[in-house]
PDB file of all heavy atoms in Angstrom:
ATOM      1  N   LEU A  44     126.909  95.998 127.450  1.00  0.00           N
ATOM      2  CA  LEU A  44     127.340  95.566 126.167  1.00  0.00           C
ATOM      3  C   LEU A  44     128.224  96.609 125.476  1.00  0.00           C
ATOM      4  O   LEU A  44     129.209  96.295 124.860  1.00  0.00           O
ATOM      5  CB  LEU A  44     126.135  95.222 125.285  1.00  0.00           C
ATOM      6  CG  LEU A  44     125.395  93.930 125.665  1.00  0.00           C
ATOM      7  CD1 LEU A  44     124.030  93.871 124.953  1.00  0.00           C
ATOM      8  CD2 LEU A  44     126.217  92.703 125.289  1.00  0.00           C
ATOM      9  N   ARG A 342     130.810  91.429 111.640  1.00  0.00           N
ATOM     10  CA  ARG A 342     129.660  90.525 111.541  1.00  0.00           C
ATOM     11  C   ARG A 342     129.167  90.070 112.914  1.00  0.00           C
ATOM     12  O   ARG A 342     127.959  90.031 113.150  1.00  0.00           O
ATOM     13  CB  ARG A 342     130.096  89.287 110.719  1.00  0.00           C
ATOM     14  CG  ARG A 342     129.005  88.195 110.600  1.00  0.00           C
ATOM     15  CD  ARG A 342     127.744  88.707 110.017  1.00  0.00           C
ATOM     16  NE  ARG A 342     126.824  87.606 109.631  1.00  0.00           N
ATOM     17  CZ  ARG A 342     125.537  87.795 109.329  1.00  0.00           C
ATOM     18  NH1 ARG A 342     125.004  89.023 109.332  1.00  0.00           N
ATOM     19  NH2 ARG A 342     124.768  86.769 109.006  1.00  0.00           N
ATOM     20  N   ALA A 343     130.071  89.747 113.831  1.00  0.00           N
ATOM     21  CA  ALA A 343     129.649  89.312 115.170  1.00  0.00           C
ATOM     22  C   ALA A 343     128.861  90.439 115.864  1.00  0.00           C
ATOM     23  O   ALA A 343     127.828  90.159 116.477  1.00  0.00           O
ATOM     24  CB  ALA A 343     130.883  88.934 115.968  1.00  0.00           C
ATOM     25  N   LYS A 344     129.336  91.679 115.722  1.00  0.00           N
ATOM     26  CA  LYS A 344     128.593  92.752 116.362  1.00  0.00           C
ATOM     27  C   LYS A 344     127.261  92.998 115.682  1.00  0.00           C
ATOM     28  O   LYS A 344     126.274  93.304 116.356  1.00  0.00           O
ATOM     29  CB  LYS A 344     129.467  94.021 116.420  1.00  0.00           C
ATOM     30  CG  LYS A 344     128.733  95.192 117.119  1.00  0.00           C
ATOM     31  CD  LYS A 344     129.571  96.435 117.218  1.00  0.00           C
ATOM     32  CE  LYS A 344     128.801  97.586 117.890  1.00  0.00           C
ATOM     33  NZ  LYS A 344     129.551  98.854 117.904  1.00  0.00           N
ATOM     34  N   SER A 345     127.255  92.919 114.373  1.00  0.00           N
ATOM     35  CA  SER A 345     125.992  93.072 113.642  1.00  0.00           C
ATOM     36  C   SER A 345     124.926  92.136 114.122  1.00  0.00           C
ATOM     37  O   SER A 345     123.767  92.552 114.368  1.00  0.00           O
ATOM     38  CB  SER A 345     126.264  92.874 112.138  1.00  0.00           C
ATOM     39  OG  SER A 345     125.032  92.694 111.430  1.00  0.00           O
ATOM     40  N   LEU A 346     125.291  90.873 114.285  1.00  0.00           N
ATOM     41  CA  LEU A 346     124.288  89.900 114.740  1.00  0.00           C
ATOM     42  C   LEU A 346     123.881  90.181 116.188  1.00  0.00           C
ATOM     43  O   LEU A 346     122.687  90.033 116.534  1.00  0.00           O
ATOM     44  CB  LEU A 346     124.896  88.504 114.609  1.00  0.00           C
ATOM     45  CG  LEU A 346     125.071  87.987 113.185  1.00  0.00           C
ATOM     46  CD1 LEU A 346     125.858  86.668 113.185  1.00  0.00           C
ATOM     47  CD2 LEU A 346     123.735  87.825 112.477  1.00  0.00           C
ATOM     48  N   ALA A 347     124.819  90.610 116.988  1.00  0.00           N
ATOM     49  CA  ALA A 347     124.485  90.943 118.398  1.00  0.00           C
ATOM     50  C   ALA A 347     123.533  92.165 118.452  1.00  0.00           C
ATOM     51  O   ALA A 347     122.603  92.168 119.219  1.00  0.00           O
ATOM     52  CB  ALA A 347     125.749  91.208 119.181  1.00  0.00           C
ATOM     53  N   LEU A 348     123.803  93.153 117.597  1.00  0.00           N
ATOM     54  CA  LEU A 348     122.933  94.351 117.581  1.00  0.00           C
ATOM     55  C   LEU A 348     121.529  93.988 117.115  1.00  0.00           C
ATOM     56  O   LEU A 348     120.529  94.445 117.715  1.00  0.00           O
ATOM     57  CB  LEU A 348     123.530  95.428 116.620  1.00  0.00           C
ATOM     58  CG  LEU A 348     124.787  96.149 117.107  1.00  0.00           C
ATOM     59  CD1 LEU A 348     125.365  96.946 115.944  1.00  0.00           C
ATOM     60  CD2 LEU A 348     124.447  97.083 118.263  1.00  0.00           C
ATOM     61  N   THR A 349     121.425  93.238 116.027  1.00  0.00           N
ATOM     62  CA  THR A 349     120.105  92.901 115.533  1.00  0.00           C
ATOM     63  C   THR A 349     119.357  91.969 116.476  1.00  0.00           C
ATOM     64  O   THR A 349     118.126  92.095 116.641  1.00  0.00           O
ATOM     65  CB  THR A 349     120.195  92.318 114.107  1.00  0.00           C
ATOM     66  OG1 THR A 349     121.173  91.260 114.081  1.00  0.00           O
ATOM     67  CG2 THR A 349     120.589  93.397 113.114  1.00  0.00           C
ATOM     68  N   ASP A 350     120.069  91.037 117.105  1.00  0.00           N
ATOM     69  CA  ASP A 350     119.454  90.170 118.133  1.00  0.00           C
ATOM     70  C   ASP A 350     118.872  91.032 119.256  1.00  0.00           C
ATOM     71  O   ASP A 350     117.720  90.854 119.735  1.00  0.00           O
ATOM     72  CB  ASP A 350     120.457  89.203 118.731  1.00  0.00           C
ATOM     73  CG  ASP A 350     120.696  87.987 117.905  1.00  0.00           C
ATOM     74  OD1 ASP A 350     119.859  87.696 117.012  1.00  0.00           O
ATOM     75  OD2 ASP A 350     121.690  87.248 118.138  1.00  0.00           O
ATOM     76  N   PHE A 351     119.666  91.980 119.732  1.00  0.00           N
ATOM     77  CA  PHE A 351     119.244  92.814 120.853  1.00  0.00           C
ATOM     78  C   PHE A 351     118.074  93.727 120.460  1.00  0.00           C
ATOM     79  O   PHE A 351     117.169  93.916 121.262  1.00  0.00           O
ATOM     80  CB  PHE A 351     120.433  93.630 121.350  1.00  0.00           C
ATOM     81  CG  PHE A 351     120.205  94.358 122.649  1.00  0.00           C
ATOM     82  CD1 PHE A 351     119.817  93.663 123.773  1.00  0.00           C
ATOM     83  CD2 PHE A 351     120.347  95.748 122.712  1.00  0.00           C
ATOM     84  CE1 PHE A 351     119.592  94.320 124.980  1.00  0.00           C
ATOM     85  CE2 PHE A 351     120.137  96.409 123.912  1.00  0.00           C
ATOM     86  CZ  PHE A 351     119.745  95.681 125.057  1.00  0.00           C
ATOM     87  N   PHE A 352     118.070  94.221 119.257  1.00  0.00           N
ATOM     88  CA  PHE A 352     116.976  95.053 118.793  1.00  0.00           C
ATOM     89  C   PHE A 352     115.674  94.250 118.776  1.00  0.00           C
ATOM     90  O   PHE A 352     114.636  94.714 119.281  1.00  0.00           O
ATOM     91  CB  PHE A 352     117.257  95.612 117.444  1.00  0.00           C
ATOM     92  CG  PHE A 352     116.179  96.512 116.878  1.00  0.00           C
ATOM     93  CD1 PHE A 352     115.898  97.757 117.486  1.00  0.00           C
ATOM     94  CD2 PHE A 352     115.407  96.170 115.779  1.00  0.00           C
ATOM     95  CE1 PHE A 352     114.905  98.596 116.996  1.00  0.00           C
ATOM     96  CE2 PHE A 352     114.412  96.964 115.280  1.00  0.00           C
ATOM     97  CZ  PHE A 352     114.157  98.191 115.887  1.00  0.00           C
ATOM     98  N   HIS A 373     120.626  83.359 112.199  1.00  0.00           N
ATOM     99  CA  HIS A 373     121.803  84.178 111.884  1.00  0.00           C
ATOM    100  C   HIS A 373     122.304  83.912 110.458  1.00  0.00           C
ATOM    101  O   HIS A 373     122.719  84.878 109.776  1.00  0.00           O
ATOM    102  CB  HIS A 373     122.958  83.910 112.843  1.00  0.00           C
ATOM    103  CG  HIS A 373     122.729  84.530 114.174  1.00  0.00           C
ATOM    104  ND1 HIS A 373     123.646  84.422 115.220  1.00  0.00           N
ATOM    105  CD2 HIS A 373     121.682  85.255 114.673  1.00  0.00           C
ATOM    106  CE1 HIS A 373     123.212  85.096 116.268  1.00  0.00           C
ATOM    107  NE2 HIS A 373     122.010  85.557 116.001  1.00  0.00           N
ATOM    108  N   ARG A 376     120.407  86.164 107.916  1.00  0.00           N
ATOM    109  CA  ARG A 376     120.139  87.568 108.263  1.00  0.00           C
ATOM    110  C   ARG A 376     121.337  88.437 107.840  1.00  0.00           C
ATOM    111  O   ARG A 376     122.474  88.133 108.111  1.00  0.00           O
ATOM    112  CB  ARG A 376     119.940  87.706 109.753  1.00  0.00           C
ATOM    113  CG  ARG A 376     119.483  89.146 110.166  1.00  0.00           C
ATOM    114  CD  ARG A 376     119.609  89.327 111.683  1.00  0.00           C
ATOM    115  NE  ARG A 376     118.951  88.291 112.424  1.00  0.00           N
ATOM    116  CZ  ARG A 376     119.151  88.093 113.746  1.00  0.00           C
ATOM    117  NH1 ARG A 376     119.961  88.865 114.412  1.00  0.00           N
ATOM    118  NH2 ARG A 376     118.495  87.140 114.369  1.00  0.00           N
ATOM    119  N   PHE A 420     124.814  99.550 121.397  1.00  0.00           N
ATOM    120  CA  PHE A 420     123.693  98.854 121.978  1.00  0.00           C
ATOM    121  C   PHE A 420     122.727  99.841 122.665  1.00  0.00           C
ATOM    122  O   PHE A 420     121.543  99.593 122.707  1.00  0.00           O
ATOM    123  CB  PHE A 420     124.184  97.759 122.940  1.00  0.00           C
ATOM    124  CG  PHE A 420     124.891  96.683 122.222  1.00  0.00           C
ATOM    125  CD1 PHE A 420     126.275  96.723 122.037  1.00  0.00           C
ATOM    126  CD2 PHE A 420     124.198  95.582 121.761  1.00  0.00           C
ATOM    127  CE1 PHE A 420     126.952  95.711 121.376  1.00  0.00           C
ATOM    128  CE2 PHE A 420     124.854  94.535 121.077  1.00  0.00           C
ATOM    129  CZ  PHE A 420     126.215  94.614 120.887  1.00  0.00           C
ATOM    130  N   VAL A 423     120.382 100.972 120.125  1.00  0.00           N
ATOM    131  CA  VAL A 423     119.395  99.953 119.844  1.00  0.00           C
ATOM    132  C   VAL A 423     118.273  99.992 120.855  1.00  0.00           C
ATOM    133  O   VAL A 423     117.096  99.973 120.482  1.00  0.00           O
ATOM    134  CB  VAL A 423     120.099  98.567 119.815  1.00  0.00           C
ATOM    135  CG1 VAL A 423     119.063  97.442 119.820  1.00  0.00           C
ATOM    136  CG2 VAL A 423     121.033  98.444 118.608  1.00  0.00           C
TER     137      VAL A 423
END
Side-chain angles (χ1 to χ4, degrees):
L44 288 167
R342 175 58 168 167
K344 183 177 176 183
S345 165
L346 291 172
L348 287 169
T349 49
D350 277 345
F351 190 57
F352 181 67
H373 285 182
R376 187 194 308 166
F420 293 91
V423 168

